[in-house]
Amino acid sequence: MSFVRSSASIIPWKLAFSCLTKPTNSVRSGRFLGTQKLRKTFVLRYTYVPDILERRGEFREEHLAAAKEALSEDRLIVGGAYKVLGTNATNMGAHIVFRGEDEQDAMSWAKEFTANDPYVINELVTQWDICEWSVVVGEI
């Protein structure tokens, strides 16, 4: 049996490299290794109107229902509003982190999501865009 030296000890070669040959599946991160296709991570970024808190009430339930549906379909990972610290604004926008197979798939999903989002339809979102996010540290 061949052996490989690791920083901790000498371990059998087959054990040391089994992670490279055995397909693994991490549902939590949405990343599929081995024989399965790697799904990419994207961020849908919203910029809100300055008075979002006063205007969102009648649309909030439907907006959140759409996000929860995308979550249940394993498309959306996490989402929520953000504010820029050190400013007087209460909410500046939102980030919706989601999965896609590639850029075309991400654009298609985001266009469909925004076309049906009551915040966009009722002009609570002044602009939106999509970024591909390369997560290199940690898991989402």
Side-chain angles (χ1 to χ4, degrees):
M1 176 177 276
S2 299
F3 289 86
V4 173
R5 180 175 294 280
S6 74
S7 59
S9 63
I10 297 176
I11 54 177
W13 181 87
K14 284 186 178 181
L15 178 61
F17 292 98
S18 65
C19 61
L20 300 178
T21 58
K22 186 170 104 182
T24 58
N25 181 351
S26 174
V27 174
R28 181 170 173 241
S29 69
R31 303 232 176 243
F32 298 93
L33 306 172
T35 59
Q36 297 183 14
K37 188 172 184 174
L38 178 69
R39 293 182 75 193
K40 297 180 178 185
T41 304
F42 297 89
V43 180
L44 174 59
R45 302 185 309 174
Y46 279 180
T47 301
Y48 287 147
V49 294
D51 58 347
I52 182 70
L53 293 178
E54 293 80 20
R55 294 178 52 194
R56 73 180 181 182
E58 65 182 292
F59 311 112
R60 187 166 168 77
E61 189 174 314
E62 187 180 351
H63 168 75
L64 293 177
K68 288 175 184 176
E69 180 180 346
L71 182 67
S72 73
E73 295 169 351
D74 196 34
R75 178 65 95 154
L76 188 142
I77 300 169
V78 66
Y82 68 87
K83 71 176 189 172
V84 177
L85 299 179
T87 66
N88 292 330
T90 52
N91 280 316
M92 297 297 291
H95 288 162
I96 300 169
V97 180
F98 68 100
R99 296 180 178 102
E101 297 301 330
D102 54 31
E103 186 176 321
Q104 182 178 358
D105 178 54
M107 288 296 294
S108 176
W109 181 83
K111 285 180 181 178
E112 183 180 340
F113 185 85
T114 56
N116 296 301
D117 186 349
Y119 281 17
V120 176
I121 294 167
N122 293 286
E123 300 178 351
L124 302 179
V125 175
T126 60
Q127 67 182 46
W128 61 269
D129 63 7
I130 304 167
C131 299
E132 184 173 345
W133 186 21
S134 298
V135 179
V136 295
V137 176
E139 256 188 77
I140 55 167

